[in-house]
Amino acid sequence: MALDNAAFVDLRNYIRRRVHNLKYRIGSSIYTVDISDAEVLSNGVVRIKAPIIPNSTGRITRVELYNNSGEMWAHQDCDITIEQGQTGVLYWFDFTVKEGKPDA
C-alpha cells in the first residue's frame, strides 16, 4: 500500500486545523498562549508557531502543544532564558508527515 498525495495533504491540514494553544512553564507556573500561525511549508512540514512573551525574566523549562479538545499533542523540555529587556521568543513545533514501513 502507498499513500497518495491527497492523503498527505489531508493529514497536514488536519494537524494545522486541530492545534489550539501552547503552554509553557517558568518555575512552577504554567502559562497559556494562543497559536499565532499554523502553516504547511513548501517542503510539506507543518509548522505551528506561538510567541512566548513572559511578564518577567526567568527560564522556560517546558513547552507543550495542545489540540482544540485540550489534549496534549507534543511537548519539549527546554532551557530558554528570558533576560531583562527581552520581549519574548517565538517558539515552534515542526511536524513531518511521511509514509514508513511497519516494523516486522
Side-chain angles (χ1 to χ4, degrees), residues 72-91:
M72 186 177 11
W73 266 17
H75 70 276
Q76 184 169 25
D77 293 325
C78 55
D79 186 9
I80 302 170
T81 301
I82 303 296
E83 298 178 4
Q84 186 69 32
Q86 185 176 353
T87 57
V89 296
L90 178 62
Y91 201 89

Side-chain angles (χ1 to χ4, degrees), residues 1-4 7-9 11-12 15 43-46 95-102:
M1 175 182 85
L3 293 177
D4 290 321
F8 288 107
V9 170
L11 291 167
R12 291 177 185 124
I15 293 169
N43 63 359
V45 170
V46 182
F95 293 92
T96 302
V97 179
K98 62 182 181 178
E99 189 171 4
K101 294 182 181 181

Side-chain angles (χ1 to χ4, degrees), residues 13-14 20 25-26 43 48 56 59 63 67 73 89 92:
N13 285 328
Y14 175 81
H20 182 66
R25 178 179 13 182
I26 295 180
N43 63 359
I48 311 302
S56 62
R59 193 154 79 215
V63 180
N67 69 9
W73 266 17
V89 296
W92 66 83

